[in-house]
Amino acid sequence: MRLKTPEDVMRFLCKEDPYGIILDACKDESIDWSDLQWVQQNCRPSASYPKSPMPCRHCGVTASTATTSYSNTNGNAGRPYFKCPTMGKFLVFADARGNDPTNPLCRCGVSSKRTMSGFYNARTPGKLFYVCRIGMCEFNKECRDARGGQVVVDPEIVDYLILLEII
Ligand SMILES: [Zn+2]
Ligand SMILES: [Zn+2]
């Protein structure tokens, strides 16, 4: 499934949960970004994110904090994150983006974080996947739609999805 319009995104977000009812309610009208904003604010209060450095899952040393470059072209400009202090490996973004509480559980047993592969140098550009939200495990799972297909974002709507913290 390729997410290209607000309706696609609504369909994807509401596939297997009680808020599918929202889709029914919108059946007769076109869905726009403000509808999605409503869903995000009222039905998907975002799950928490790490506020202070965790022990690195690779070496056990307390993680160090960093921020992605503002010229990052993968939709990740200026994001705070934690990294391994000894190897510099990325651990987890320290923000609420993609922290949908209905995401699948990671190996830590908490809801995961939805994120997107970049549009440059990625095997499947704009592909959505889930990772550990608290930075403590190597969970990595592709987002699948109700029919089991890979979920890919159209470059034109990336900014909206980021603004709404869907990714
Ligand atoms: Zn480490
Ligand atoms: Zn985890």
Side-chain angles (χ1 to χ4, degrees):
M1 150 179 228
R2 189 174 188 83
L3 306 180
K4 212 172 171 175
T5 65
E7 188 167 344
D8 295 337
V9 180
M10 186 74 94
R11 228 166 255 294
F12 164 64
L13 287 181
C14 297
K15 62 174 179 188
E16 281 166 13
D17 71 47
Y19 304 112
I21 199 163
I22 293 161
L23 259 184
D24 292 338
C26 296
K27 213 162 35 190
D28 301 326
E29 304 160 43
S30 61
I31 292 168
D32 60 24
W33 294 111
S34 65
D35 295 322
L36 278 163
Q37 187 174 25
W38 187 90
V39 168
Q40 283 296 95
Q41 286 171 352
N42 296 283
C43 310
R44 307 292 178 101
S46 70
S48 66
Y49 58 89
K51 308 278 193 307
S52 53
M54 68 292 293
C56 170
R57 62 179 181 262
H58 304 292
C59 66
V61 179
T62 303
S64 46
T65 53
T67 305
T68 55
S69 151
Y70 283 90
S71 59
N72 182 299
T73 49
N74 283 333
N76 293 326
R79 291 182 85 174
Y81 68 99
F82 291 110
K83 63 178 184 180
C84 168
T86 50
M87 295 178 284
K89 266 189 174 179
F90 174 88
L91 294 175
V92 64
F93 281 118
D95 60 27
R97 282 174 51 180
N99 289 3
D100 187 327
T102 68
N103 286 348
L105 303 184
C106 73
R107 290 172 208 157
C108 309
V110 299
S111 62
S112 54
K113 189 176 188 73
R114 189 187 297 117
T115 188
M116 186 189 74
S117 66
F119 287 97
Y120 307 95
N121 304 321
R123 223 182 322 160
T124 309
K127 187 175 81 172
L128 293 188
F129 57 102
Y130 303 105
V131 294
C132 182
R133 160 166 65 82
I134 57 176
M136 298 300 287
C137 75
E138 299 287 338
F139 186 71
N140 188 308
K141 188 180 180 190
E142 283 179 353
C143 283
R144 296 280 171 175
D145 59 31
R147 289 180 187 156
Q150 244 179 21
V151 182
V152 175
V153 174
D154 190 275
E156 299 212 339
I157 67 163
V158 168
D159 290 344
Y160 291 102
L161 298 188
I162 291 172
L163 205 66
L164 295 175
E165 299 194 327
I166 290 169
I167 56 169

